[in-house]
Amino acid sequence: MVAHSEVLLSKCAQFREQGEFIDVRLKVGEDEFAAHRIVLAANSDYFHAMFAHGMKESYQEVIELRDENISVAAMKIVMDSIYSGEINVNVENVFEVLTAADHIKVTSVVQQCFKYLIQRRLDAQTYCRFIMLADQYGLSDFKEAAERKMASMYREICEKEEFLSDMNVDVLSALLCRDDLRTPSENFVFKSVMQWIKYRKAERLDLGAKVIGAVRLGLVDIKDVVEELDTEEMKAK
């Protein structure tokens, strides 16, 4: 037996397709998407807040989304997902869809994008963005899954340029504290952290204590610690 909620969603999608009971249109660039306020409010925290609190946009027939990062193609996928419960993303469009869904706070679409991404190998910058968004949405399972995947790939990740340029200090600190961090040795971990600090020493030196504090220094060869810290580069302001 088809669930009542599925029937209701299917009917709303049918109304939208036939242009029935449309009471708002969302404008992205030069394109408009017909919708129903009640459906938007039920699926989007952004629109729920807008309509519930009587913001001026809530009375407009056309609401323009001015964020230039929202593409028409991505918005179409988000809107179709809101009315169907399904999503059609691929490697080329998943981040555009995630950006659009995040902007209007459609958690269901954000979750589906995360499910797609967690099945793939990502670079350090993408993992950091993934983890921070998951934390923002309170999606602890996705955050844990991404951190676990990063921990299993630590050696590979930290030997790439993206690790030095894009790794977030909070993500790195949390990663280093994990018991499942896969690495040749704690010396390797310590040296990778020092490389990360030196890459942008001026802005990262003050953050160094937090990151180094996550390293198990008791397992690091003291000679390596002295060699890394007692240099002209580290002493220079």
Side-chain angles (χ1 to χ4, degrees):
M1 183 175 179
V2 180
H4 178 71
S5 58
E6 292 181 19
V7 173
L8 181 60
L9 187 61
S10 177
K11 274 294 184 182
C12 289
Q14 182 181 330
F15 292 151
R16 174 176 174 246
E17 185 177 339
Q18 296 175 349
E20 295 183 298
F21 311 114
I22 299 298
D23 56 4
V24 67
R25 294 179 183 276
L26 306 181
K27 185 175 182 180
V28 178
E30 298 302 316
D31 290 64
E32 293 184 0
F33 298 89
H36 306 93
R37 279 179 164 81
I38 189 65
V39 175
L40 293 180
N43 288 274
S44 161
D45 292 342
Y46 176 91
F47 287 113
H48 180 270
M50 178 185 292
F51 300 150
H53 297 122
M55 297 171 64
K56 66 177 183 179
E57 292 88 348
S58 64
Y59 304 107
Q60 297 175 351
E61 291 184 8
V62 178
I63 298 174
E64 185 173 2
L65 301 178
R66 299 178 183 276
D67 191 329
E68 60 185 21
N69 293 316
I70 298 179
S71 71
V72 172
M75 192 62 188
K76 182 182 186 306
I77 292 173
V78 173
M79 291 298 295
D80 288 346
S81 180
I82 286 175
Y83 277 88
S84 70
E86 300 176 355
I87 193 169
N88 181 26
V89 292
N90 53 46
V91 174
E92 286 71 32
N93 66 23
V94 64
F95 282 107
E96 285 190 6
V97 174
L98 182 56
T99 296
D102 178 50
H103 180 83
I104 60 175
K105 306 305 177 191
V106 182
T107 303
S108 61
V109 174
V110 171
Q111 289 178 324
Q112 290 179 82
C113 288
F114 280 172
K115 286 180 181 178
Y116 178 86
L117 285 168
I118 202 61
Q119 298 171 10
R120 283 151 180 80
R121 293 173 72 86
L122 310 174
D123 58 32
Q125 181 183 30
T126 305
Y127 274 121
C128 288
R129 181 183 178 191
F130 184 112
I131 288 170
M132 287 186 286
L133 270 175
D135 189 47
Q136 175 186 321
Y137 277 86
L139 302 174
S140 57
D141 289 347
F142 286 111
K143 181 181 178 182
E144 165 60 23
E147 289 181 346
R148 184 169 60 249
K149 204 160 188 179
M150 287 186 78
S152 71
M153 300 165 53
Y154 184 75
R155 180 170 185 168
E156 176 185 339
I157 288 175
C158 72
E159 291 181 339
K160 294 184 180 296
E161 178 73 16
E162 291 84 3
F163 170 81
L164 299 176
S165 60
D166 300 317
M167 178 60 74
N168 173 277
V169 60
D170 294 324
V171 174
L172 179 57
S173 298
L175 191 61
L176 297 178
C177 291
R178 294 183 63 92
D179 292 332
D180 59 352
L181 187 68
R182 187 173 298 175
T183 174
S185 67
E186 205 66 22
N187 282 47
F188 181 91
V189 174
F190 177 69
K191 288 183 177 182
S192 69
V193 166
M194 293 307 300
Q195 287 181 318
W196 179 84
I197 293 173
K198 291 176 182 178
Y199 187 81
R200 288 186 181 144
K201 197 187 79 168
E203 63 185 77
R204 290 176 176 170
L205 202 54
D206 290 340
L207 305 173
K210 179 176 182 178
V211 183
I212 292 175
V215 180
R216 297 169 175 83
L217 291 175
L219 301 178
V220 180
D221 190 325
I222 189 62
K223 292 180 181 179
D224 286 330
V225 176
V226 173
E227 182 180 319
E228 289 288 345
L229 297 178
D230 191 25
T231 63
E232 292 301 320
E233 180 182 8
M234 291 305 294
K235 292 177 181 178
K237 298 295 185 180

